[in-house]
C-alpha cells in the first residue's frame, strides 16, 4: 500500500482498516509489534492485535487504549492518528442494556476473582451482551461416579451486537481443568480458552459465523468432556438473567445409582435452599428438572451415593 493510500484511510477510517494499512506499510509482523509493546510494559496478545485489524474487536479498556497510543509511535504515525478513529467509547458495564434483575457473577460463582481475571484476559467481548432464551443440558455420570460429559443445546438472544458466546464452567471440587475439553458441536466454533487450576474454572469463546444484531437469536450446541474422574454429587446452573426455560437431565451409568436425588433453588451460590423437591430416578436411569420463567439465581440437582 502506498503512502497516499495510507493517508487516505487514516483520514476516513474505520479504525481496523487504518490499523491494517499502517501495519502493512510498516512491514512489521504481529509478533514483532507485540514484542515492541511488551518493551513498554503493554501486554497485548497477537490474537488481539489480529482481531483489532480485522474489525472483530476494538480496543476499549484503558490498557488497550494505551496500547493504541504506543502503536501510533511504533508504526510511525502522527500522534492520535489511530486513536481519533475509535470515536467515543461505547457504553460498558454489567448494567448496560441488561434485562432487569440481572445477577452479578460474584453471586453465582466462587472465587469470582479467578473468573474476573480470565474475562479480563479475553477483554470479555461478549460478556453481558447475550442472555438465555432456553437451555437444555444433558449430563452423563460415569461408572466411576464422575461427570463425564455435559452437552448443551442453547438458545441465546442478543441485546447488544455480538459475535460470540462466552461459556463458563466450574468443575467438581478437586478437578483438573486442563483435563476438561470444550467441544463445539453446531453453529459455533472454538475461540480462545482460559483455565484456572486453583478454582477449576474453564472459560471459552464460542464464535458465531457472523455478528448478531440486537434482538436476534442464535442456537448453538456444545459440550464439556471431563477426563479427570472426580466424583460428582451435584450439578447446578448459575442464571444471570431471567430465562424462559431451563431443562437439566442427569443420566447415570448402570453400575452406579444414587440412593436419593432432589432439585433445589438458591438466590445466590451456597445460600439456603429456597425450594427443594425430591426426584425419582426413572427406568432409563435419569433424573431431570424443567423450570420456566426462571429468575436469576442457582438452579440445580443434588444426589447422594449412599
Amino acid at each position: 500500500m502506498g503512502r497516499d493510500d495510507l493517508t487516505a484511510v487514516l483520514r476516513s477510517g474505520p479504525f481496523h482498516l487504518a490499523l491494517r494499512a499502517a501495519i502493512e506499510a510498516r512491514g512489521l509482523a504481529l509478533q514483532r509489534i507485540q514484542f515492541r509493546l511488551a518493551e513498554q510494559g503493554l501486554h497485548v496478545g497477537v490474537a488481539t492485535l489480529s482481531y483489532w485489524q480485522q474489525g472483530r474487536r476494538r480496543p476499549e479498556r484503558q490498557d488497550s487504549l494505551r496500547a493504541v497510543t504506543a502503536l501510533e509511535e511504533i508504526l510511525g504515525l502522527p500522534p492520535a492518528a489511530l486513536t481519533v478513529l475509535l470515536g467515543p467509547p461505547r457504553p460498558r458495564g454489567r448494567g448496560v442494556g441488561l434485562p432487569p434483575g440481572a445477577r452479578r457473577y460474584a453471586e453465582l460463582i466462587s472465587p469470582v476473582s479467578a473468573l474476573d481475571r480470565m474475562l479480563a484476559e479475553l477483554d470479555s467481548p461478549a460478556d453481558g451482551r447475550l442472555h438465555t432464551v432456553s437451555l437444555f443440558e444433558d449430563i452423563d455420570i460415569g461408572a466411576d461416579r464422575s461427570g463425564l460429559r455435559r452437552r448443551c443445546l442453547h438458545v441465546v438472544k442478543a441485546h447488544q451486537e455480538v459475535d460470540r458466546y462466552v461459556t463458563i464452567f466450574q468443575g467438581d471440587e478437586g478437578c483438573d481443568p486442563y483435563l476438561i475439553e470444550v467441544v463445539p458441536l453446531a453453529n459455533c466454533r472454538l475461540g480462545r480458552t482460559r483455565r484456572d487450576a486453583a478454582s477449576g474454572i474453564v472459560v471459552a469463546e464460542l464464535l458465531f459465523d457472523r455478528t448478531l444484531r440486537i434482538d436476534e437469536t442464535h442456537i448453538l450446541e456444545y459440550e464439556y468432556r471431563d477426563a479427570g474422574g472426580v466424583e460428582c454429587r451435584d450439578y447446578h446452573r448459575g442464571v444471570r438473567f431471567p430465562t424462559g426455560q431451563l431443562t437439566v437431565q442427569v443420566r447415570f451409568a448402570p453400575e452406579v445409582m444414587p440412593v436419593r436425588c432432589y432439585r433445589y433453588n438458591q438466590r445466590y451460590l451456597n445460600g439456603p435452599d429456597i425450594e427443594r423437591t425430591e426426584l425419582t430416578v426413572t427406568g432409563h436411569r435419569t433424573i431431570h428438572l424443567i423450570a420456566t420463567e426462571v429468575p436469576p439465581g442457582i438452579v440445580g440437582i443434588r444426589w447422594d451415593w449412599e
Side-chain angles (χ1 to χ4, degrees), residues 240-306:
R240 285 192 70 197
F241 313 119
T243 296
Q245 180 168 304
L246 174 63
T247 302
V248 178
Q249 176 176 258
V250 181
R251 180 181 294 104
F252 298 96
E255 298 88 345
V256 288
M257 294 294 289
V259 295
R260 287 175 299 277
C261 307
Y262 52 92
R263 64 169 288 178
Y264 65 95
N265 294 67
Q266 299 172 341
R267 290 192 173 89
Y268 51 87
L269 184 67
N270 297 325
D273 292 351
I274 56 176
E275 180 182 346
R276 179 168 167 167
T277 306
E278 188 170 354
L279 300 174
T280 301
V281 180
T282 72
H284 300 287
R285 307 187 310 278
T286 65
I287 51 176
H288 73 273
L289 67 81
I290 300 175
T292 57
E293 303 302 324
V294 187
I298 300 292
V299 181
I301 296 177
R302 295 192 190 106
W303 53 91
D304 297 326
W305 291 117
E306 53 192 14

Side-chain angles (χ1 to χ4, degrees), residues 114-148:
L115 176 60
D116 285 343
R117 175 179 53 77
M118 288 186 280
L119 290 175
E121 289 177 5
L122 299 177
D123 203 20
S124 48
D127 181 34
R129 299 183 187 180
L130 289 163
H131 66 274
T132 297
V133 177
S134 66
L135 175 63
F136 177 82
E137 298 190 273
D138 193 31
I139 295 94
D140 281 339
I141 304 299
D144 59 355
R145 298 183 175 180
S146 71
L148 295 177

Side-chain angles (χ1 to χ4, degrees), residues 222-233:
Y222 55 95
E223 69 182 30
Y224 285 87
R225 300 172 185 170
D226 188 351
V230 176
E231 183 177 274
C232 181
R233 293 175 174 265

Side-chain angles (χ1 to χ4, degrees), residues 29 38 54 58 61 83 111 127 140 142 171 173 175 199-200 202 213 217 233 237 248 279 297:
Q54 294 173 48
R58 74 175 215 166
R61 295 180 181 274
T83 306
D127 181 34
D140 281 339
E173 184 176 356
C175 77
S199 66
V202 180
R213 297 185 296 272
T217 54
R233 293 175 174 265
R237 180 79 182 185
V248 178
L279 300 174

Side-chain angles (χ1 to χ4, degrees), residues 95-122:
V96 176
L98 301 186
R103 197 60 56 89
R104 296 178 298 113
Y105 280 126
E107 299 172 276
L108 303 176
I109 199 165
S110 179
V112 74
S113 57
L115 176 60
D116 285 343
R117 175 179 53 77
M118 288 186 280
L119 290 175
E121 289 177 5
L122 299 177

Side-chain angles (χ1 to χ4, degrees), residues 8-279:
V9 75
L10 285 172
R11 184 181 304 117
S12 61
F15 169 81
H16 71 280
L17 291 182
L19 175 61
R20 187 190 310 164
I23 291 172
E24 291 177 357
R26 186 73 167 134
L28 290 177
L30 295 184
Q31 289 83 357
R32 180 60 183 168
I33 294 173
Q34 180 193 38
F35 177 77
R36 294 282 299 277
L37 289 170
E39 288 182 323
Q40 301 183 42
L42 299 167
H43 301 287
V44 180
V46 170
T48 297
L49 292 170
S50 178
Y51 288 160
W52 287 356
Q53 69 170 349
Q54 294 173 48
R56 294 175 60 185
R57 292 170 53 196
R58 74 175 215 166
E60 293 183 323
R61 295 180 181 274
Q62 286 302 313
D63 54 351
S64 297
L65 296 177
R66 287 194 294 270
V68 173
T69 300
L71 280 172
E72 293 164 348
E73 179 183 353
I74 292 169
L75 298 173
L77 301 175
L82 294 174
T83 306
V84 71
L85 297 175
L86 289 171
R90 292 181 293 190
R92 295 183 65 90
R94 303 203 187 278
V96 176
L98 301 186
R103 197 60 56 89
R104 296 178 298 113
Y105 280 126
E107 299 172 276
L108 303 176
I109 199 165
S110 179
V112 74
S113 57
L115 176 60
D116 285 343
R117 175 179 53 77
M118 288 186 280
L119 290 175
E121 289 177 5
L122 299 177
D123 203 20
S124 48
D127 181 34
R129 299 183 187 180
L130 289 163
H131 66 274
T132 297
V133 177
S134 66
L135 175 63
F136 177 82
E137 298 190 273
D138 193 31
I139 295 94
D140 281 339
I141 304 299
D144 59 355
R145 298 183 175 180
S146 71
L148 295 177
R149 183 184 68 96
R150 182 192 75 155
R151 183 167 184 160
C152 302
L153 175 61
H154 202 162
V155 182
V156 294
K157 184 176 183 178
H159 44 79
Q160 297 181 41
E161 290 190 351
V162 64
D163 64 355
R164 69 201 65 193
Y165 172 67
V166 176
T167 179
I168 300 166
F169 178 74
Q170 187 167 27
D172 295 295
E173 184 176 356
C175 77
D176 180 351
Y178 290 92
L179 296 178
I180 298 175
E181 181 184 9
V182 185
V183 183
L185 300 175
N187 302 326
C188 60
R189 65 185 189 279
L190 186 63
R192 295 169 296 171
T193 302
R194 296 291 184 270
R195 294 175 171 85
D196 181 73
S199 66
I201 297 174
V202 180
V203 177
E205 294 177 319
L206 296 172
L207 308 177
F208 309 148
D209 60 353
R210 64 182 181 86
T211 299
L212 300 183
R213 297 185 296 272
I214 293 173
D215 288 335
E216 275 197 290
T217 54
H218 189 73
I219 301 174
L220 61 158
E221 293 182 62
Y222 55 95
E223 69 182 30
Y224 285 87
R225 300 172 185 170
D226 188 351
V230 176
E231 183 177 274
C232 181
R233 293 175 174 265
D234 170 279
Y235 180 77
H236 64 265
R237 180 79 182 185
V239 180
R240 285 192 70 197
F241 313 119
T243 296
Q245 180 168 304
L246 174 63
T247 302
V248 178
Q249 176 176 258
V250 181
R251 180 181 294 104
F252 298 96
E255 298 88 345
V256 288
M257 294 294 289
V259 295
R260 287 175 299 277
C261 307
Y262 52 92
R263 64 169 288 178
Y264 65 95
N265 294 67
Q266 299 172 341
R267 290 192 173 89
Y268 51 87
L269 184 67
N270 297 325
D273 292 351
I274 56 176
E275 180 182 346
R276 179 168 167 167
T277 306
E278 188 170 354
L279 300 174

